[in-house]
Amino acid sequence: MIHSIVKISHLKFIWCLLLLVSCSNNRNQVQETTSSMSSSYMFPQESIKNFQWFQEPASWKVSPEGLFIEPDSGSDFWQRTHYGFRNDNAHFLYKEVEGDFEMTTTVSFSPQHRYDQAGLCVRIDEDNWLKTSTEYETREYSHLGAVVTNLGYSDWSTQEIPANIRRVEYKIIRKGKDFEVYAKFGQKDFQQIRIAHLHKDAPKIQAGLYACSPTDKGFSALFETFEIKQQN
């Protein structure tokens, strides 16, 4: 009887030991996963070192979570076509880049008014530039697309996506005077949404992040990641 009690107690001890080891392993896995997630979503502040503002917004900040912007009311990039007006006051954080490159960002956004937008931009001057973003339209849909402006006239290519999509990754690839534009959201891979050409010669071009609120204030955007990779 005493032998049986000792044997049972021994088995309980082994079971408890195995349980403790299992819990320890799970805790380590959670810690490793948390650490990995934190680093992958950590905004690399050095990625915007030596950048400068074109039309600095009244409200913005940089934190480990990303670059947060609240665009000023009435800010926009657009030239002449269809609407007739000219707007060259969007908020654009950029640096000059020479040669071919690949530029990517992931941005989360909370639109409030029609045309609220945030994404990537490349710019030579007010009459020659390209931007890509998701522009809010209604509670049902937004417009994912790109605006290409040559010689002072803008054109806008779009595709409808559900308005509840509030996080998109964008990519622009420069090859000489040609540009490839890509976007991805949800579980999808990058999809090409535009190939464009900027006519004006410019060995160096301004490249970076932009946001604007053409209609009214209240919009906010968080750029979670950002990278420019020079191409050989």
Side-chain angles (χ1 to χ4, degrees), residues 120-137:
L120 293 174
C121 180
V122 294
R123 173 185 166 101
I124 300 171
D125 54 33
E126 66 177 325
D127 291 328
N128 301 275
W129 48 265
L130 179 156
K131 67 179 181 179
T132 182
S133 63
T134 300
E135 300 196 20
Y136 180 71
E137 286 287 340

Side-chain angles (χ1 to χ4, degrees), residues 40-72:
S40 64
Y41 283 93
M42 187 74 71
F43 184 78
Q45 296 189 31
E46 67 274 10
S47 68
I48 57 172
K49 185 179 180 181
N50 301 322
F51 279 58
Q52 58 185 306
W53 280 108
F54 173 83
Q55 301 291 342
E56 180 178 352
S59 178
W60 69 278
K61 65 179 180 179
V62 178
S63 71
E65 286 72 38
L67 170 65
F68 178 81
I69 301 177
E70 291 182 331
D72 299 343

Side-chain angles (χ1 to χ4, degrees), residues 6-18:
V6 171
K7 186 174 181 181
I8 292 171
S9 299
H10 181 67
L11 289 174
K12 284 185 176 180
F13 172 75
I14 293 175
W15 181 82
C16 290
L17 185 62
L18 290 173

Side-chain angles (χ1 to χ4, degrees), residues 1 5 14 25 46 112 120 137 142 149 172 197 212 225:
M1 182 71 173
I5 293 172
I14 293 175
N25 287 339
E46 67 274 10
Q112 301 295 319
L120 293 174
E137 286 287 340
S142 295
T149 299
I172 293 178
H197 183 87
C212 58
T225 64

Side-chain angles (χ1 to χ4, degrees), residues 40-213:
S40 64
Y41 283 93
M42 187 74 71
F43 184 78
Q45 296 189 31
E46 67 274 10
S47 68
I48 57 172
K49 185 179 180 181
N50 301 322
F51 279 58
Q52 58 185 306
W53 280 108
F54 173 83
Q55 301 291 342
E56 180 178 352
S59 178
W60 69 278
K61 65 179 180 179
V62 178
S63 71
E65 286 72 38
L67 170 65
F68 178 81
I69 301 177
E70 291 182 331
D72 299 343
S73 176
S75 52
D76 195 12
F77 280 149
W78 186 265
Q79 292 293 332
R80 294 185 177 91
T81 307
H82 184 68
Y83 306 106
F85 61 79
R86 303 179 67 187
N87 262 355
D88 190 49
N89 62 347
H91 311 302
F92 180 36
L93 185 64
Y94 74 92
K95 74 172 183 178
E96 289 191 336
V97 182
E98 189 171 5
D100 296 341
F101 60 84
E102 177 180 303
M103 178 170 60
T104 57
T105 191
T106 303
V107 57
S108 299
F109 44 93
S110 301
Q112 301 295 319
H113 305 283
R114 192 179 186 191
Y115 304 132
D116 283 346
Q117 57 194 270
L120 293 174
C121 180
V122 294
R123 173 185 166 101
I124 300 171
D125 54 33
E126 66 177 325
D127 291 328
N128 301 275
W129 48 265
L130 179 156
K131 67 179 181 179
T132 182
S133 63
T134 300
E135 300 196 20
Y136 180 71
E137 286 287 340
T138 70
R139 293 181 179 179
E140 285 73 41
Y141 71 93
S142 295
H143 277 141
L144 170 66
V147 175
V148 179
T149 299
N150 276 299
L151 308 177
Y153 286 87
S154 298
D155 75 67
W156 185 23
S157 56
T158 68
Q159 54 185 277
E160 289 186 7
I161 62 172
N164 61 0
I165 294 173
R166 300 294 176 87
R167 186 172 185 267
V168 181
E169 187 171 352
Y170 303 97
K171 177 166 62 177
I172 293 178
I173 299 175
R174 181 191 187 187
K175 297 180 180 178
K177 297 170 72 172
D178 298 327
F179 297 84
E180 300 172 13
V181 183
Y182 299 85
K184 63 179 291 188
F185 54 87
Q187 301 301 312
K188 295 183 177 181
D189 293 329
F190 271 115
Q191 295 183 351
Q192 186 180 89
I193 61 174
R194 187 73 184 261
I195 294 180
H197 183 87
L198 292 182
H199 297 288
K200 187 172 181 178
D201 291 327
K204 289 185 178 181
I205 195 168
Q206 298 169 358
L209 308 169
Y210 94 97
C212 58
S213 294

